[in-house]
């Protein structure tokens, strides 16, 4: 059975979207993937979409979602490091990835964040496959 994972940020416009993209791309065999934000936002950051496309991950259909748009109970809750305090979300495991938001900076910052997120998603998938989560 797949583990439900939710990547949560404030706006669901950059880091959590990239994490959703990587997790779906690399771990769809073991993960049911969601992302959401605690506040409304109008778009996924175009540079986030661009750098993910450079890596072969299509995020053209992604859009910002709120916590109310994801299942009420999940297995794994990942926050991106934005200092967001999530309302109580029932989960079996929670961790914060402590990622700096590249928004407003150069494209290289988005690329670095993309690669950091990829590494963390790969590690998450491996821990799920080993039965650690």
């Amino acid at each position: 059975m797949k583990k439900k994972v939710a990547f949560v940020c404030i706006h669901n416009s950059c880091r959590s979207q990239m994490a959703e993209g990587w997790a779906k791309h690399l771990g769809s065999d073991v993960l049911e993937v969601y992302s959401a934000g605690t506040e409304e936002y109008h778009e996924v950051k175009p540079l986030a979409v661009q750098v993910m496309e450079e890596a072969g991950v299509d995020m053209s259909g992604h859009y910002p979602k709120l916590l109310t748009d994801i299942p009420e109970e999940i297995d794994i809750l990942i926050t991106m490091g934005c200092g967001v305090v999530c309302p109580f979300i029932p989960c079996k495991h929670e961790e914060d990835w402590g990622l700096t938001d590249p928004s407003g900076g150069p494209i290289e910052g988005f690329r670095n964040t993309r690669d950091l997120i990829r590494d963390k998603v790969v590690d998450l998938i491996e821990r799920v496959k080993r039965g650690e989560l």
Side-chain angles (χ1 to χ4, degrees):
M1 192 161 108
K2 293 183 182 184
K3 297 282 187 181
K4 290 182 188 173
V5 61
F7 299 100
V8 177
C9 217
I10 294 173
H11 291 136
N12 189 224
S13 64
C14 186
R15 293 164 292 174
S16 53
Q17 290 283 351
M18 287 194 271
E20 176 186 355
W22 277 124
K24 285 181 174 176
H25 186 73
L26 300 171
S28 61
D29 56 329
V30 294
L31 299 175
E32 184 178 321
V33 184
Y34 303 92
S35 72
T38 58
E39 297 177 12
E40 288 187 22
Y41 199 73
H42 63 282
E43 68 176 354
V44 175
K45 300 284 171 70
L47 287 178
V49 175
Q50 180 180 333
V51 300
M52 289 298 285
E53 285 178 359
E54 289 173 1
V57 179
D58 180 15
M59 291 195 345
S60 60
H62 284 219
Y63 59 94
K65 297 167 290 298
L66 292 171
L67 291 174
T68 52
D69 297 323
I70 66 173
E72 290 182 12
E73 290 190 31
I74 55 170
D75 298 304
I76 304 164
L77 174 66
I78 308 288
T79 52
M80 298 290 105
C82 34
V84 63
V85 177
C86 291
F88 178 71
I89 299 175
C91 63
K92 296 177 180 131
H93 177 79
E94 183 175 350
E95 60 188 56
D96 184 271
W97 283 0
L99 298 165
T100 302
D101 187 357
S103 298
I107 193 167
E108 197 53 45
F110 283 82
R111 289 182 179 124
N112 291 339
T113 299
R114 172 199 65 201
D115 296 343
L116 285 170
I117 291 171
R118 182 189 186 282
D119 293 345
K120 288 181 173 293
V121 167
V122 167
D123 178 65
L124 178 71
I125 292 165
E126 290 304 316
R127 288 186 287 150
V128 167
K129 286 182 177 180
R130 289 192 304 262
E132 297 173 14
L133 297 177

